[in-house]
Amino acid sequence: MNILNRTKCYLAGNMEYTNDSVNWREYMTSELNKLGVVVLSPLEKNFVVHFDEGEESHVKLKQMREEGRYDEVSDHMSKIVGKDLRLIDVSDFVIVNIEIDKPTFGTIHELVVANQQKKPIFLCVNDKKRCPLWLLGLINHHYIYDDLNVIINILNKIDKGEIVIDSERWRLL
């Protein structure tokens, strides 16, 4: 059926306090591309004017923060926040991958915005039994997983029409 062909998915997840902001996104991009999904990642150049959010940029921003250069950090980060939230705006659905033992304020902000916009959200936490209680109140537990492969399997079934999409959240053209 190819229900998800040409839809857009934003990949939200830990960036500042993580050992892996890249590999899981590359894996999910590869799997989603097989379905014809356009992947929106904060690590990629998505806009004509690009504000880098990669590891090199984070090192530089942390150094500037350490030096007390808050105006510069704030200016750069406000552009990144705007860019990432715009990616939420244009996405059809969102996959959120959270390492619950590491702070991730931007990811939580993106999750809340996506939820307020009634986007379908697939939340992956590294241990569902330790999922923060607040998130269990925010996101229906049926959409919280502890394995990205489960999300891929579900999306494959949605794409084939084997799982009926939730009309309260999915707004596909």
Side-chain angles (χ1 to χ4, degrees):
M1 291 185 91
N2 293 54
I3 292 171
L4 297 179
N5 188 44
R6 298 185 329 172
T7 60
K8 296 179 198 78
C9 175
Y10 181 70
L11 301 178
N14 297 60
M15 294 285 290
E16 184 176 356
Y17 299 106
T18 183
N19 296 326
D20 180 20
S21 63
V22 176
N23 292 327
W24 78 268
R25 283 184 174 90
E26 287 177 349
Y27 170 71
M28 294 303 283
T29 297
S30 171
E31 293 299 311
L32 291 166
N33 285 167
K34 292 175 187 175
L35 301 174
V37 174
V38 175
V39 177
L40 305 172
S41 168
L43 297 175
E44 299 299 323
K45 182 178 178 180
N46 298 293
F47 297 98
V48 173
V49 177
H50 179 67
F51 302 101
D52 186 33
E53 212 173 335
E55 183 59 32
E56 190 174 305
S57 174
H58 277 187
V59 169
K60 180 180 172 186
L61 287 164
K62 288 176 185 179
Q63 180 64 37
M64 289 169 34
R65 180 178 62 191
E66 184 66 29
E67 295 168 358
R69 296 164 52 193
Y70 301 117
D71 286 337
E72 293 170 77
V73 174
S74 179
D75 181 58
H76 187 85
M77 286 307 302
S78 67
K79 293 170 183 163
I80 287 175
V81 169
K83 169 188 72 79
D84 290 358
L85 293 179
R86 180 64 181 137
L87 291 173
I88 293 284
D89 291 343
V90 300
S91 68
D92 295 301
F93 65 101
V94 178
I95 295 174
V96 181
N97 187 27
I98 295 181
E99 298 172 60
I100 58 174
D101 294 326
K102 299 179 180 180
T104 179
F105 302 101
T107 304
I108 296 301
H109 188 187
E110 293 166 342
L111 176 68
V112 168
V113 169
N115 193 53
Q116 288 174 331
Q117 293 180 4
K118 303 271 190 243
K119 305 270 184 187
I121 299 168
F122 298 87
L123 174 60
C124 185
V125 295
N126 49 342
D127 184 354
K128 187 174 178 176
K129 291 185 188 312
R130 294 182 52 238
C131 183
L133 297 173
W134 191 274
L135 292 182
L136 286 165
L138 186 66
I139 305 298
N140 183 316
H141 73 93
H142 294 291
Y143 300 108
I144 301 175
Y145 312 92
D146 50 19
D147 187 338
L148 290 169
N149 288 311
V150 174
I151 294 172
I152 289 297
N153 289 335
I154 289 168
L155 291 171
N156 274 294
K157 290 180 179 180
I158 289 171
D159 188 56
K160 293 175 186 169
E162 295 172 10
I163 294 178
V164 178
I165 59 175
D166 178 359
S167 62
E168 293 294 316
R169 294 249 174 192
W170 290 91
R171 301 284 188 252
L172 302 180
L173 298 176

